[in-house]
Amino acid sequence: MTDTTLQLEDAALDLDAAAPTTWNAATWFSVISLAATSFALVSAEFLPAGLLTPMARDLGISEGTAGQVVTATASVGAVTAMLSNVLIGRLNRKTVLVGLSALAVGSNLLAALAPNFWLLLLGRAGLGIALSAFWALSVAVVARLVGAHATGRGMGIVTLGVSLATIAAPSAGALISDWLGWRSAMALTAGLAVIAMLLQLLSLPTLPASASNSLADVFRLTRRRGIQLGMLAILLLMTGHFAGSVYVRPFLEQVTQLATGPIALALLGFGIAAVIGNVAGGRMADANIRLALVVTAALMAIAALALVLWGVHIGLAFGFVTLWGLAFGMGPVVLPTNLSRAAPDALEAAGSLMVVSFQVAITTGAVVGGYVVDTYGATGPLTLTVVLAASTVVLALLQPRG
């Protein structure tokens, strides 16, 4: 056993001792600052969905080319996730988090002012670095702030920012773009990152590194059975989600025969349920992580299967899209917490593997889902969601109770 491992184990044992048993105002303020950061970063990530047409027109490129700004963020993020916790070494984690928010400010401003597509891509790549490094550190930082016993609850609040950004960013971006232009919309996300950075400066306690990580430490962690099962759970469930959820709108158009207005209401219900799922998932993860994972995956499988079987009925379609949203809201809380339970002595390294797993799942889900919908029609991707979510239930039952 290495000295680094011993240091990490000592740090893990001290998590609950160092964190308050009840959350005081300072703890709440710290966790909320991280939620504000996740909202700012994810808002910037999803913003292009509402800006592609004016962005493409202004830069003289096709909409397909403009869509590669999303690919740039995700691909750079996947690489960064493996290296971020290695590169930051023994830097104070508060300094790192504030620095990542500053990077997001600069990246969003560069994207807003970019005179050509390549500088726009550079700005989005910087955002990918900030996003992935933040999420790679998130579970470890939350555990230090609230204690290992309340990590799920803390992550539930942090990931509220994700759900709110997913709901607000594309529609708000489109409205602001129509009113002030797409560059103004990009600049406003820089403003959100400034607010998050100020909140971090004011609220986060000093967070000295307990140890530095090496790339070998990260890869060594993959030998643990719990880490393998945790990563596989992320890959299965999130691939299933993104393979199917991207094509929920075509399903509602073609199978349920809904117009644009009712579809927007159904997707709003999905988003509101996801917010509720964040909170419920955090509570359940702290109480029994194995049960939380079973429930999350089972709800998604049931929702997708019910849509395939009875999605022609409008009322049932609305209800099961909402149920899917609840399951999705639980996922970003339950899955990282589940993975972290297998590495209480190496939370930062586990965070890197968590982000890589999510990025691979998102990319795989989008690619496979596109092939399935073109080959088998609107119900195909949802059927794939059923299979992968049900597989996650089986996987969860193989895990130790906890």
Side-chain angles (χ1 to χ4, degrees):
M1 187 176 291
T2 66
D3 292 338
T4 296
T5 303
L6 288 171
Q7 290 173 345
L8 286 168
E9 286 176 345
D10 291 340
L13 292 173
D14 289 342
L15 281 176
D16 284 317
T21 54
T22 58
W23 293 18
N24 55 29
T27 302
W28 275 105
F29 196 12
S30 296
V31 175
I32 288 172
S33 76
L34 297 180
T37 305
S38 75
F39 177 77
L41 292 174
V42 177
S43 291
E45 181 183 18
F46 283 101
L47 191 67
L51 305 180
L52 286 185
T53 300
M55 188 189 304
R57 185 169 55 244
D58 184 44
L59 295 175
I61 55 178
S62 69
E63 291 186 9
T65 301
Q68 298 310 305
V69 298
V70 178
T71 305
T73 306
S75 58
V76 171
V79 176
T80 301
M82 288 298 296
L83 300 177
S84 59
N85 288 330
V86 176
L87 296 176
I88 61 177
R90 300 189 66 88
L91 289 174
N92 189 292
R93 278 17 182 183
K94 176 178 180 177
T95 303
V96 173
L97 288 170
V98 171
L100 292 174
S101 293
L103 175 60
V105 173
S107 298
N108 289 328
L109 286 176
L110 177 59
L113 299 172
N116 57 59
F117 176 65
W118 297 109
L119 282 178
L120 176 62
L121 271 187
L122 181 62
R124 297 295 296 182
L127 176 65
I129 294 172
L131 265 165
S132 289
F134 171 78
W135 288 119
L137 282 172
S138 61
V139 176
V141 170
V142 167
R144 292 177 68 174
L145 292 175
V146 305
H149 65 287
T151 302
R153 181 185 176 194
M155 285 301 295
I157 294 172
V158 173
T159 55
L160 275 176
V162 178
S163 295
L164 294 173
T166 303
I167 297 169
S171 55
L175 290 174
I176 295 170
S177 175
D178 288 344
W179 183 32
L180 298 173
W182 70 270
R183 295 183 184 276
S184 296
M186 285 278 189
L188 285 176
T189 60
L192 292 176
V194 169
I195 293 171
M197 183 172 63
L198 291 176
L199 288 175
Q200 289 172 346
L201 283 168
L202 293 172
S203 67
L204 288 178
T206 183
L207 296 167
S210 57
S212 58
N213 299 310
S214 70
L215 201 56
D217 291 331
V218 176
F219 284 116
R220 193 176 298 118
L221 207 57
T222 61
R223 299 175 185 172
R224 300 186 187 183
R225 181 170 180 269
I227 291 293
Q228 293 168 356
L229 292 175
M231 293 179 69
L232 185 56
I234 294 172
L235 290 171
L236 287 174
L237 192 60
M238 288 295 99
T239 297
H241 168 72
F242 284 100
S245 64
V246 171
Y247 303 101
V248 164
R249 176 168 182 166
F251 177 88
L252 294 175
E253 289 174 339
Q254 298 171 29
V255 177
T256 317
Q257 300 288 305
L258 293 181
T260 302
I263 289 174
L265 287 177
L267 296 180
L268 177 62
F270 179 100
I272 293 172
V275 173
I276 297 171
N278 285 148
V279 178
R283 297 285 185 176
M284 191 175 293
D286 287 333
N288 188 322
I289 188 59
R290 182 171 177 263
L291 177 62
L293 183 56
V294 169
V295 170
T296 302
L299 289 178
M300 189 175 294
I302 291 168
L305 178 61
L307 284 170
V308 171
L309 296 177
W310 304 300
V312 294
H313 303 288
I314 294 176
L316 291 176
F318 267 78
F320 287 113
V321 166
T322 301
L323 182 64
W324 192 333
L326 180 69
F328 172 62
M330 295 174 68
V333 185
V334 172
L335 290 167
T337 305
N338 177 61
L339 183 66
S340 70
R341 294 294 171 87
D345 56 321
L347 291 177
E348 290 186 4
S352 294
L353 295 174
M354 178 267 292
V355 175
V356 171
S357 299
F358 267 96
Q359 294 287 6
V360 171
I362 292 169
T363 303
T364 304
V367 172
V368 175
Y371 169 78
V372 171
V373 75
D374 288 342
T375 307
Y376 300 102
T379 60
L382 276 66
T383 304
L384 180 60
T385 301
V386 175
V387 173
L388 294 178
S391 299
T392 310
V393 173
V394 175
L395 182 70
L397 293 173
L398 297 175
Q399 295 190 168
R401 295 180 181 273

